[in-house]
Amino acid sequence: MNPTAQTSPDATGATDASAAPGPGIPAAPAVPEHRMARLVTDGVEPKNVIIALVLLLGAVRYGLVGLGWGAFAALFAAVIPTWFIRRGMRRGEIEDRHVGHRKRRLVVLPLVLLSVLISLVTMVVLDAPTDMTAIVLAMFASLLPLLLVTVWWKISVHTAVTGGATVCLALALSPWWLLVAPVVAVVAWSRVVLRDHTLAQTVAGTVVGALTAGLTFWAAR
């Protein structure tokens, strides 16, 4: 989730400082750098990371059965939330695909939580493979602090999801997956360059995502 729209007045007429990084952010970057940052932000957005994570984890750990469960998890954790966001954009209720305005996130994140919870309950009832249930539980657990922090500060969901995915893959498949950690730094760079987040917001997202998802996944396996 990231903003492309400018900050807008709230009901009191004051500007929502959390809709944009705020003062002290460098001037807009050169065009080539900006374009590269946009490619990274759009390409490694949470939806794409989640889909890749659950399909890869399912296929490697459980073969075709796991791939099926991965597709099921992706439907509720990525596809349905994306549909809701696009619906909101068509109706003019959401400004952009990354839900850049902090207050809009307070509407979207609870719906994502509900969608993930539905898939989690279904997977538990139908006795899905352990790691597939654990990864969905890790997603749900990560969303809770993100929602809480978003009440007053626009923490980065991009880095939270990417950081959490990296740690979970390292736990489930091999510690060698930690070698993709620099990708998280690149994502953070793109968010800062686009002035969608401050450096502190991207670092906080990484820490929250990695710790919450990693610890939950480890405990649930």
Side-chain angles (χ1 to χ4, degrees):
M1 299 182 186
N2 72 292
T4 57
Q6 298 294 321
T7 57
S8 57
D10 60 20
T12 65
T15 298
D16 179 6
S18 296
I25 292 180
V31 172
E33 185 180 26
H34 189 279
R35 288 177 178 172
M36 180 60 69
R38 175 56 59 190
L39 287 174
V40 172
T41 278
D42 290 347
V44 196
E45 64 180 319
K47 166 181 65 71
N48 295 340
V49 174
I50 290 170
I51 291 173
L53 168 65
V54 293
L55 293 180
L56 175 64
L57 180 61
V60 173
R61 292 286 287 121
Y62 305 105
L64 288 177
V65 171
L67 190 62
W69 280 111
F72 178 81
L75 173 65
F76 285 89
V79 178
I80 291 177
T82 298
W83 171 83
F84 176 79
I85 291 171
R86 290 180 177 175
R87 178 173 174 270
M89 290 174 63
R90 288 194 298 269
R91 299 176 63 175
E93 298 170 352
I94 297 176
E95 294 85 354
D96 65 280
R97 62 192 272 193
H98 301 302
V99 194
H101 198 288
R102 179 181 60 85
K103 291 182 179 179
R104 300 289 187 272
R105 294 184 176 197
L106 294 176
V107 175
V108 173
L109 285 175
L111 290 170
V112 177
L113 266 169
L114 177 61
S115 184
V116 173
L117 179 61
I118 291 172
S119 68
L120 176 61
V121 171
T122 303
M123 293 173 77
V124 170
V125 170
L126 297 181
D127 195 25
T130 301
D131 275 3
M132 301 311 297
T133 303
I135 197 65
V136 174
L137 178 59
M139 292 180 197
F140 182 80
S142 298
L143 284 167
L144 293 174
L146 291 177
L147 176 59
L148 178 62
V149 174
T150 300
V151 171
W152 79 89
W153 198 50
K154 202 178 71 176
I155 189 170
S156 174
V157 177
H158 271 71
T159 57
V161 171
T162 311
T166 301
V167 172
C168 289
L169 284 175
L171 289 170
L173 303 182
S174 167
W176 287 104
W177 276 96
L178 291 176
L179 292 177
V180 305
V183 173
V184 183
V186 174
V187 172
W189 165 83
S190 74
R191 309 301 288 145
V192 174
V193 166
L194 293 174
R195 305 183 71 188
D196 293 331
H197 286 287
T198 62
L199 177 60
Q201 289 167 346
T202 62
V203 171
T206 303
V207 172
V208 169
L211 286 180
T212 309
L215 289 174
T216 303
F217 183 72
W218 173 78
R221 297 185 74 200

